[in-house]
Amino acid sequence: MWLRALVALCAVACAGLGAASAADAAHTPVAAPADAVIDGPDASIDSLNGMAIARDGTGGLVYLKGVAGVPHVFVSILQNGTFQAPIQVDAGLLAGSAQPVITAGNDGTLLVGFVNNGALYVAQRVNGGAFAPPALLYPAAENPSISMSNFGKAYMAFTATNGAGGADVRAAYYYAGAWALEPTPLDDNPADAAGTGTGRPQVATAGDGDGIVVWGESGHIYTRRVVKTTASAVDEQADVPTLGGWQEVSAANPVIATGGDSTYASVAFQEQLANGGSRQSRVLMNRLHGSQYDGIRQGDGIATGGPEGADQPQTSVTEYGDGWVVSEHDQTHALFATTLGGNESFGTTLRVDSLPNGTQPDAVSSNAGLTSTFIVWQQNPGAAGTAEIRLRFAPHGADLGPEQVVSSPGLGATDADQGLEAAGDVAGDAAAAWVQGDGATTRIVATQLFQAPGGFVPSDAFHYSTSARPLLSWSPSSELWGGPRYVVKIDGIVVGQTTATQFVPPPPLADGRRVYQVTAVNQAGLATAARAATVFVDTVKPQVTVTITGIRAIHHQLRLTVRYSDPPPPGLPKSAASGVATVYASWGDGSARTRIRRTTDTHVYTRKRTYTLTVTVKDRAGNHTVLKKRLVIATKPPKGGGKRKGKKTTRAVAAAGSSGPGAVLLFPSGSGG
């Protein structure tokens, strides 16, 4: 039974190693064996509204679910690579909640904003603690958007519904657990209604801690920078009055993304154009550069005045400003994306999906790591099949890999209209979440794609052990999503596994040189093997024989002759023993200990007394045998024996089964010595 289990374990480890080598070559993550059902099946699930993952792999997703017929805000925390059981974060508020948003910071920090009874609230979890009760941020608001930097600074943009023009775009700043409201509206014209309908605001927080807010106002798209609670003196307009001879009707649905440097930002939006009686919807992109825009770029893959238009703008960028502008064609529902290079520079446009789509793809793009990106969308074949979620991953920012179906058809058709979200961590792990099923079968579902575990090394490339069950240890393998399990092989055979970074083999090892290798395996079955290391097992203590010659009287020289060996266990070759490393003699009179490099040593005593001679033999593994001999030193040689020399031999043989690495043998003066 035990052997069969180890054989099965070896098969898993070997399969993981093959997957790991492929993943390492391309840095493409591999999906976990099964999707995670966050909640459901439950007819009271309303919508998935957001997901955020911090650099360190912690995060969460937020959604609306009915409680006694009233919608409330629930969060599933992502911790140790697993989405936890959902918790309600608007408890205590009796009215229904709406429009929840979420952002994540390192160490398990989560900020959740939502609207309840027309007021804007925040619920926050700092440094992995419990969620604090919801706190009022603004008394009359809608359309919140939230974003946090890698260093814990966050901004919330929202529409104040009690503004001078009926609605104003406002912003709030968060740091170290506290919120502060920016004192003045961000609107281009305070008398206009801003941030309403399809002009709802969106905020992006750069790595340098500055926030940039985009919104729609009077049919145009504006941005303004916010530094803590201070807004820039001027705003910038992103849309243009004409494009290719067509006139602008209005611009809406703005989105924004920025990387580590707030100097640059990608701003995309949907532009309605007219030429006589003809109308066309376009998705355009403009790069914000400092306090001005570089100029309109067409990122939707269609021509002005063509047979169809584009909508559903999305944009995302990495820390270095690489990323995507994503849109769909409004008749064929084909999904297109335009690459963004460093600092959000405009690139090439390509089609993302390969199959006809019967409905809007509701695509989202996101980052996984410092350079990797990915795009997720819903593929609906209509009557020919069931709607499903697909994903393409770009290991180096723009090199999209093949399409992967990440949803399980056994859970029913996906419903991206009710929510489709994507996020990733700094290690290149990626996650997507969506709504699947309908009615009583409705679920919140997430898939996770794992990179192979990070490299690690054994604590020692070579070490000796005096135990047949040596302690093997290694450095931890980096894995943000849950600690990996370690599979241990010795001489090519799997002997066990552990989640710790040390292991004691369950069966005793035979003496001699043993090669071991440890493989880290994560939740997706991806594996990374450390370099092989060696442990030399030597459980047998050295053997030693000593001979003392000379006159045992002061001022007379005594000669010590030592014979020693380090035998292997019976039946094993000599190579199974580590060999004698050192031999020391201590004459017991306070003189310095002598290392015997060959076989002999000499000594002269100067005082009459009884001394204890100690000979210590140690092998390379650390086993040692200690032989002690009492020597009675007289003032003068024995009568009539001034010229006579004594020769006595003492033999010490360490028993292989004796406890501890050393053997001590004490021989009295008259016992053969």
Side-chain angles (χ1 to χ4, degrees), residues 158-175:
F158 59 94
T159 303
T161 55
N162 59 354
D168 289 330
V169 175
R170 302 291 300 270
Y173 171 70
Y174 168 91
Y175 185 65

Side-chain angles (χ1 to χ4, degrees), residues 595-632:
R595 180 170 182 177
I596 302 176
R597 299 192 177 275
R598 293 190 178 181
T599 60
T600 62
D601 188 28
T602 60
H603 191 69
V604 175
Y605 288 104
T606 60
R607 294 182 61 187
K608 171 188 174 181
R609 62 176 296 180
T610 299
Y611 297 92
T612 300
L613 168 68
T614 303
V615 176
T616 303
V617 181
K618 186 175 182 180
D619 65 21
R620 292 186 179 92
N623 298 298
H624 58 278
T625 299
V626 179
L627 187 149
K628 293 178 181 286
K629 170 70 176 171
R630 291 191 182 95
L631 298 177
V632 178

Side-chain angles (χ1 to χ4, degrees), residues 537-624:
V537 177
D538 184 349
T539 61
V540 179
K541 301 170 182 61
Q543 295 181 356
V544 58
T545 299
V546 300
T547 301
I548 302 169
T549 58
I551 298 174
R552 299 185 185 183
I554 62 174
H555 306 307
H556 289 268
Q557 186 182 76
L558 294 180
R559 176 178 293 274
L560 169 67
T561 303
V562 182
R563 305 295 182 190
Y564 48 84
S565 64
D566 186 36
L572 292 182
K574 188 176 181 180
S575 60
S578 62
V580 172
T582 59
V583 180
Y584 283 97
S586 178
W587 292 90
D589 60 351
S591 60
R593 187 176 67 159
T594 304
R595 180 170 182 177
I596 302 176
R597 299 192 177 275
R598 293 190 178 181
T599 60
T600 62
D601 188 28
T602 60
H603 191 69
V604 175
Y605 288 104
T606 60
R607 294 182 61 187
K608 171 188 174 181
R609 62 176 296 180
T610 299
Y611 297 92
T612 300
L613 168 68
T614 303
V615 176
T616 303
V617 181
K618 186 175 182 180
D619 65 21
R620 292 186 179 92
N623 298 298
H624 58 278

Side-chain angles (χ1 to χ4, degrees), residues 323-502:
W324 301 99
V325 171
V326 179
S327 62
E328 70 113 21
H329 291 186
D330 58 12
Q331 295 181 34
T332 63
H333 305 303
L335 178 61
F336 279 78
T338 296
T339 62
L340 300 177
N343 293 331
E344 292 87 352
S345 57
F346 196 82
T348 58
T349 302
L350 67 152
R351 182 167 178 179
V352 177
D353 55 347
S354 62
L355 299 175
N357 208 337
T359 57
Q360 291 180 316
D362 298 315
V364 291
S365 61
S366 189
N367 313 318
L370 297 178
T371 58
S372 301
T373 63
F374 62 107
I375 300 174
V376 187
W377 72 96
Q378 179 171 272
Q379 179 69 41
N380 189 353
T386 302
E388 61 191 14
I389 302 301
R390 295 195 169 207
L391 179 149
R392 291 184 70 183
F393 193 89
H396 305 105
D399 52 336
L400 286 172
E403 294 181 28
Q404 303 179 52
V405 178
V406 294
S407 57
S408 171
L411 299 180
T414 58
D415 187 1
D417 284 344
Q418 294 303 109
L420 176 60
E421 302 292 337
D425 64 23
V426 74
D429 304 311
W434 59 86
V435 176
Q436 191 163 357
D438 61 358
T441 68
T442 303
R443 295 174 172 86
I444 303 292
V445 183
T447 189
Q448 292 172 257
L449 289 84
F450 289 75
Q451 296 284 350
F456 62 109
V457 295
S459 298
D460 298 290
F462 176 93
H463 73 280
Y464 287 103
S465 173
T466 59
S467 169
R469 299 185 63 206
L471 178 66
L472 311 178
S473 61
W474 51 88
S475 63
S477 171
S478 59
E479 175 62 68
L480 295 182
W481 280 357
R485 58 189 173 90
Y486 298 96
V487 179
V488 182
K489 289 182 179 180
I490 298 179
D491 293 338
I493 299 174
V494 174
V495 297
Q497 63 176 322
T498 180
T499 56
T501 56
Q502 57 186 23

